Amino acid sequence: MIWWLRSRSVTALTACTLLTALAGLAIGNIELPVPVLTGQAGQFVLAQLVTVLPAVLWLSGTGRAGSPTEATAVRPVHRWDTALAAVLTAAVLAISAVVHLTISSGITVSVGRNTAVYFGIALILNPLTGHRVAAPLTAAFPLVCAAAGWRTTGGAEPWALVLHEPGSGPALAATTAVLATGCTLSALRPPGTGLLPRGTPWR
């Protein structure tokens, strides 16, 4: 356990996650100038971008120890990693809920939801590709949303979850599904092992 805590820098990751959530709440609706490739220009705020940082740092932590160490570990450390991501997401959601009940601002809902989206994506990609590929893909997702996530008729594309209005029910349901899928897949499969069982030949 001590080895896992140190290799994942759990204390630093937890502090960074909480500070990122607070920073997202503090900077509010500061807009970023991002080129739009398709559709119409929409609002893309800084809080939608900074909330990707905890998920990227979590991915970095899962790959900090050498692969032989991970492969020979007696305990299923990938399940500990999954639990850590779930706890961090729950902490951000709790902070967002408390602040929302206090000041009733839409940005508070967005910070919690978007953090869950990014962690869900990271949890899905890590078992499929490993942290080296999953980290840049997760970090690129908000930029892809900002550039290509707006509809020509207005509003956000269904897949661009971080761009949807804070009160969007479909976006909340999709976020829950992404996070649940990520937690399940990450708990079942170690990083970079793909969907097929070990020893299954690719056809």
Side-chain angles (χ1 to χ4, degrees), residues 4-5 8-22 53-55 57-58 61 64 80-81 83-92 95 115 119:
W4 177 80
L5 291 172
R8 268 53 176 178
S9 298
V10 172
T11 302
L13 177 58
T14 302
C16 178
T17 300
L18 298 179
L19 289 174
T20 300
L22 294 175
L53 182 60
L57 292 179
W58 174 82
R64 189 170 290 119
W80 292 0
D81 293 334
L84 175 61
V87 169
L88 293 175
T89 303
V92 174
I95 292 174
T115 300
F119 265 115

Side-chain angles (χ1 to χ4, degrees), residues 46-163:
L46 185 57
Q48 294 170 331
L49 179 62
V50 298
T51 45
V52 76
L53 182 60
V56 174
L57 292 179
W58 174 82
L59 284 167
S60 176
T62 63
R64 189 170 290 119
S67 54
T69 304
E70 296 283 351
T72 57
V74 176
R75 296 175 176 85
V77 293
H78 64 283
R79 294 178 183 170
W80 292 0
D81 293 334
T82 304
L84 175 61
V87 169
L88 293 175
T89 303
V92 174
L93 290 173
I95 292 174
S96 300
V98 170
V99 176
H100 180 69
L101 292 175
T102 304
I103 65 176
S104 187
S105 172
I107 194 65
T108 60
V109 178
S110 293
V111 167
R113 183 196 64 196
N114 293 350
T115 300
V117 169
Y118 296 135
F119 265 115
I121 292 172
L123 285 163
I124 290 173
L125 290 177
N126 197 35
L128 300 178
T129 67
H131 74 283
R132 293 184 184 276
V133 176
L137 289 179
T138 302
F141 181 71
L143 300 178
V144 173
C145 288
W150 299 104
R151 290 178 173 177
T152 55
T153 56
E157 296 286 353
W159 57 266
L161 296 177
V162 298
L163 300 181

Side-chain angles (χ1 to χ4, degrees), residues 22-31 43 45-48 105 107 111:
L22 294 175
L25 297 172
I27 60 181
N29 293 314
I30 298 177
E31 295 187 28
Q43 185 186 41
V45 298
L46 185 57
Q48 294 170 331
S105 172
I107 194 65
V111 167

